[in-house]
Amino acid sequence: MLTQKKKKGVLTIISGFSGAGKGTLVKALLKKYPDVYSLSISATTREPRAGEQDGKEYFFKTKEQFTQMISNRELIEYACYVDNYYGTPKEFVKSKLDSGKDVILEIEVQGALKVKAEYPDTLLLFVATPDVDTLLERLRGRGSETEESIQKRVRTAYREANYIPEYDFLVINDEIDECVENIHQIITRYHCKPHLLKEFIYDFKQQLNEQLKGEI
């Protein structure tokens, strides 16, 4: 009898406009489906903040260690931000995927497209608000943004919008619970993409060939 073998996890990248609620969605998704998803833990050269633990919030590295990781191609992607490096350890993600967990990686557009180019099986989701007024309302609702910084984020959003067609799905974050379920269903269905089921398809064809006594 032909049965689909234990599924391998899918690497899912979630990007989106600042203020669209990416972080909130990821936290809600992990809370609702803790046995399905795993959050990718980044490596960084910045100093740990109070309460942060190595291997939980981040993998804390020296600049020398991080540079060595780059040289050894141990990172899926990396970037330098405010004089510190941040990157996604390849081995950590691979171990989670091999165990059957779907790994969630929250990164910006340029990093997402680089990962997709090197790992075509990656699922790209872009999160947006229903309209610009909602985006501005959420940014101002933080209470920590000046009008100048908000306009800067709007300009960034304008540039990021050009890359939305490069993503596999656009997700509108209007109602949080509905959006979380929408993301879960998208990832679940993505597992059924034929290019992710090559081993199953090969085994099926082999059994068909056996039934045909090698006629083909």
Side-chain angles (χ1 to χ4, degrees), residues 146-159:
T146 64
E147 281 302 312
E148 182 180 355
S149 66
I150 288 175
Q151 287 305 308
K152 184 177 179 179
R153 294 185 185 279
V154 170
R155 287 193 292 272
T156 299
Y158 182 82
R159 292 193 297 271

Side-chain angles (χ1 to χ4, degrees), residues 167-200:
Y167 279 67
D168 297 301
F169 291 90
L170 171 63
V171 181
I172 306 301
N173 184 16
D174 189 4
E175 200 281 317
I176 183 70
D177 291 335
E178 182 180 329
C179 191
V180 166
E181 190 57 30
N182 188 17
I183 290 174
H184 175 64
Q185 291 301 323
I186 288 172
I187 298 173
T188 300
R189 293 190 181 104
Y190 194 74
H191 276 280
C192 297
K193 288 279 189 178
H195 73 277
L196 297 178
L197 300 172
K198 292 176 183 176
E199 190 173 345
F200 176 84

Side-chain angles (χ1 to χ4, degrees), residues 13-128:
I13 292 180
I14 296 181
S15 306
F17 302 131
S18 177
K22 304 182 296 297
T24 302
L25 286 172
V26 170
K27 288 178 183 177
L29 185 67
L30 292 168
K31 183 177 180 179
K32 187 172 183 179
Y33 299 102
D35 297 330
V36 178
Y37 301 106
S38 177
L39 182 65
S40 174
I41 300 177
S42 297
T44 182
T45 57
R46 78 160 172 77
E47 292 295 320
R49 293 169 184 159
E52 291 184 334
Q53 300 176 33
D54 183 53
K56 186 176 181 181
E57 284 79 15
Y58 287 95
F59 295 112
F60 293 100
K61 305 291 182 181
T62 64
K63 288 192 176 181
E64 290 75 17
Q65 289 173 326
F66 201 100
T67 301
Q68 191 62 49
M69 291 178 76
I70 295 173
S71 299
N72 294 341
R73 297 180 61 83
E74 296 174 18
L75 299 168
I76 292 176
E77 57 80 35
Y78 67 92
C80 188
Y81 180 73
V82 193
D83 296 327
N84 281 304
Y85 283 106
Y86 295 82
T88 305
K90 189 180 297 184
E91 187 55 40
F92 177 81
V93 171
K94 183 179 183 300
S95 67
K96 293 296 183 182
L97 294 176
D98 288 345
S99 73
K101 286 260 192 174
D102 292 327
V103 178
I104 305 298
L105 177 58
E106 184 189 335
I107 57 175
E108 43 74 42
V109 171
Q110 284 77 12
L113 297 180
K114 287 180 182 178
V115 174
K116 182 73 169 182
E118 188 166 351
Y119 303 93
D121 291 345
T122 302
L123 171 62
L124 299 187
L125 303 181
F126 193 94
V127 179

